[in-house]
Amino acid sequence: MAEELGCDASNITQIVARLEALGLVTREPNPRDRRARLVARTPRGDEINHRFATAFTFARTAVGRLSPDEQDQLTALLRKALG
């Protein structure tokens, strides 16, 4: 998870703990590796994830109209603008 999100593994523990406190995820022991935990969304987490994805449909649609080169240009410009 940490690698996919580009952050330190210790941060993931804190993030998951906060999401769990909000009732958005659960942590369960991994049956294959007792040292690891499996994180799963709760029904409430699924609902919020769906609402979030729906809210950004317009952006995906708009960016989808751009060619791959134009998408790369947009990404570069946004990175520059955001510092």
Side-chain angles (χ1 to χ4, degrees):
M1 228 184 207
E3 187 176 314
E4 186 174 326
L5 295 173
C7 64
D8 190 74
S10 63
N11 291 340
I12 294 298
T13 302
Q14 294 173 21
I15 293 167
V16 171
R18 283 186 235 136
L19 293 171
E20 190 175 35
L22 293 169
L24 302 177
V25 300
T26 59
R27 284 188 276 192
E28 311 260 333
N30 184 335
R32 296 183 197 163
D33 182 353
R34 300 184 81 169
R35 299 167 296 169
R37 298 279 184 187
L38 300 175
V39 179
R41 282 193 306 257
T42 63
R44 183 170 181 231
D46 283 337
E47 181 208 340
I48 289 175
N49 182 66
H50 175 73
R51 288 173 38 203
F52 182 84
T54 301
F56 287 93
T57 299
F58 77 93
R60 283 189 207 96
T61 301
V63 171
R65 292 185 192 115
L66 301 175
S67 71
D69 286 341
E70 291 169 330
Q71 290 179 24
D72 289 344
Q73 287 178 318
L74 177 60
T75 299
L77 289 170
L78 289 171
R79 283 191 175 136
K80 183 177 181 178
L82 296 173

